[in-house]
Amino acid sequence: MTQTLSYRQGLKGVFKVPGDKSISHRAVMLGAISVGETVISGFLPGEDCLSTINCFEAMGIKAERSGTSVRIEGNGLHGLKKPEKTLDVGNSGTTLRLMTGILAGQPFNCRVTGDSSIQKRPMKRVFEPLGMMGAKFSDASSAPFEVYGQKLTGIEYALPVPSAQVKSAILLASLFAQGETAIEEPVPSRNHTEIMLGAFGADIQKKGGKIISRPVSELKAQNIAVPGDISSAAFFMAAALITPGSKVTIEGVGVNPTRTGLVDALLEMGGRIEISNSRSVGGEPVADLTACHSRLKGISISGGILPRMIDEVPIFAAVALFAEGRTSISDAGELKFKESNRLNAMAVELGKLGAHVIETDDGLIIDGGFPLHGAPTDSRDDHRVAMSLAIASIMASGSTVINGSECVDISYPGFFEQLASL
Ligand code: S3P
């Protein structure tokens, strides 16, 4: 697919970004295992979330989607049916990990697979804690694999790496387990599962740094309004910060503090970002974000901020190219296990544009201020890499080609059209 975009002045506009991917997935899954009809508005119709709908339809769930509105007829905690075919999660790691938590406690066996990128993504981190709960899987460390449904028992588990997907898989399995499940995180990761489980009537509490889940007899269907995805808003905030003359306002963005690490990092760089009209929607904090062209300086980020901006590291790296001095990112080794090896992808692909980026064991070192020139680049079939390259290319001389740019449909159908409209 070829997209031709050029920028003569700054980016300007007031607009919304599509719904939050993490929240959209969770709304479908919890809707499917609750009693009654769940209505989701602002659903992200990206390929990943459609994979979640497809998988649950294959287990007998009726889902009706019209644009960003989805109705799910829940069959209750014990109403999923054995799928007739292999469950295919496509490119979606969130579907893969979270759904495995649900499948582990079903009274049937099934097989799960996904695309070539999914087949490389580590599953031991999910199989291990679920195995402690009594779950059984075929001997595999990634998809495809079989899940042999079992009766589960609650566990106490300290997550070795901060991962909302692993935490959520355990929490979803705990709905089918006997006794209490307690999870401890080394640093907090996104907590949408905890918030939404509470709304659906699960017995979930935070006590002394632990998340405690106790079984309930049923979950009750809810209406879920999905806020705009801050991981998608990130690209336009970044574009505005680096492009002279820009001012953009993105309305209705989810600003859950477990997701706002990028905003904190950009503010520290000197980014002019304003958070206004703060409100709460279904237990999730929501606000409007305004970003203007800014003079940026390099910073160092490490530790607890990383899980709060785990999906925004590629775009943060792109912004750092336009900051004065050096930016270093460490404690980001998890990026090697995403849709692509994002540390390598950003170092190599930004390098093709003339950027000075060094890949380290657990991060990146970026020297800002070098002029960029257009070049052929490769998205690595990773939506966040493609969008980050598109934003960096705005300020490059000449034209940039992003091969495989159609992968943006995973999380942001219409991304290039939105960018062009600004
Ligand atoms: C997600 C959690 C993160 C993130 C992914 C979505 C989620 O993964 O990278 O895009 O919805 O729970 P990890 O928790 O494995 O880091």
Side-chain angles (χ1 to χ4, degrees):
M1 184 170 73
T2 304
Q3 305 272 352
T4 308
L5 300 175
S6 66
Y7 307 88
R8 294 283 172 268
Q9 304 129 3
L11 287 82
K12 293 204 179 69
V14 178
F15 61 102
K16 290 193 166 80
V17 289
D20 188 278
K21 183 153 84 72
S22 293
I23 297 178
S24 295
H25 282 297
R26 287 156 170 82
V28 172
M29 293 190 194
L30 293 193
I33 56 171
S34 64
V35 175
E37 186 180 81
T38 286
V39 180
I40 310 169
S41 56
F43 178 79
L44 168 65
E47 287 171 7
D48 271 11
C49 298
L50 299 180
S51 291
T52 293
I53 293 187
N54 290 341
C55 287
F56 281 84
E57 280 180 333
M59 290 188 278
I61 296 300
K62 283 206 185 105
E64 207 180 283
R65 184 177 71 86
S66 164
T68 61
S69 168
V70 183
R71 283 173 188 278
I72 308 273
E73 261 181 53
N75 276 350
L77 277 173
H78 305 289
L80 294 177
K81 300 210 165 65
K82 178 179 167 63
E84 277 167 18
K85 299 187 296 201
T86 299
L87 294 169
D88 188 345
V89 304
N91 187 246
S92 177
T94 306
T95 313
L96 178 74
R97 269 74 176 259
L98 272 62
M99 187 174 71
T100 299
I102 294 176
L103 296 175
Q106 299 306 312
F108 54 76
N109 302 339
C110 61
R111 185 172 169 82
V112 183
T113 195
D115 71 6
S116 58
S117 147
I118 275 293
Q119 296 188 18
K120 287 190 217 121
R121 298 190 67 178
M123 279 303 285
K124 280 247 148 75
R125 53 179 65 193
V126 175
F127 293 160
E128 257 170 37
L130 294 181
M132 289 163 64
M133 297 175 86
K136 294 222 163 11
F137 304 97
S138 53
D139 185 20
S141 50
S142 56
F145 57 86
E146 320 273 337
V147 188
Y148 309 117
Q150 302 290 321
K151 289 206 181 320
L152 305 178
T153 314
I155 51 166
E156 219 176 303
Y157 190 69
L159 289 171
V161 280
S163 165
Q165 293 184 345
V166 178
K167 171 179 66 176
S168 300
I170 303 169
L171 285 174
L172 290 169
S174 78
L175 297 170
F176 305 95
Q178 271 196 337
E180 183 178 288
T181 295
I183 305 172
E184 216 171 331
E185 296 187 274
V187 240
S189 63
R190 66 190 68 191
N191 61 357
H192 306 301
T193 305
E194 296 91 302
I195 292 175
M196 203 181 288
L197 274 173
F200 274 78
D203 180 354
I204 185 141
Q205 290 166 36
K206 189 125 202 232
K207 256 195 215 153
K210 286 186 183 164
I211 305 154
I212 316 273
S213 166
R214 295 193 193 89
V216 288
S217 57
E218 65 175 33
L219 299 180
K220 291 190 182 64
Q222 296 296 311
N223 290 343
I224 301 287
V226 181
D229 197 328
I230 192 164
S231 298
S232 298
F235 299 106
F236 298 106
M237 283 194 280
L241 292 184
I242 65 169
T243 315
S246 297
K247 180 176 180 178
V248 300
T249 296
I250 311 146
E251 294 176 321
V253 181
V255 287
N256 181 316
T258 60
R259 297 283 299 280
T260 49
L262 177 74
V263 173
D264 294 347
L266 294 176
L267 287 171
E268 193 187 332
M269 276 184 147
R272 292 190 292 152
I273 299 176
E274 219 178 87
I275 302 174
S276 59
N277 196 14
S278 298
R279 53 218 189 256
S280 168
V281 178
E284 288 282 352
V286 175
D288 300 343
L289 299 175
T290 299
C292 301
H293 176 244
S294 307
R295 214 191 141 128
L296 303 172
K297 58 176 186 337
I299 59 167
S300 294
I301 58 166
S302 60
I305 194 169
L306 265 306
R308 297 177 52 237
M309 58 181 288
I310 192 74
D311 291 337
E312 288 70 69
V313 172
I315 188 59
F316 177 69
V319 172
L321 303 178
F322 304 93
E324 199 185 309
R326 176 166 281 192
T327 292
S328 64
I329 304 168
S330 38
D331 298 329
E334 271 297 299
L335 265 85
K336 295 180 195 163
F337 309 110
K338 298 294 179 186
E339 284 84 331
S340 70
N341 176 341
R342 288 181 173 163
L343 296 180
N344 180 263
M346 293 316 291
V348 173
E349 301 304 325
L350 290 175
K352 292 177 182 170
L353 303 180
H356 289 215
V357 183
I358 299 169
E359 180 188 351
T360 66
D361 242 14
D362 68 344
L364 295 169
I365 297 171
I366 302 141
D367 285 318
F370 288 90
L372 301 186
H373 52 79
T377 60
D378 185 358
S379 70
R380 315 262 179 121
D381 291 325
D382 183 330
H383 53 130
R384 300 204 197 279
V385 170
M387 292 186 271
S388 302
L389 292 172
I391 300 304
S393 76
I394 290 177
M395 292 297 289
S397 64
S399 62
T400 295
V401 174
I402 304 164
N403 288 309
S405 61
E406 60 274 13
C407 62
V408 302
D409 289 349
I410 291 288
S411 65
Y412 201 148
F415 168 78
F416 289 107
E417 292 77 1
Q418 179 68 68
L419 191 54
S421 81
L422 296 171

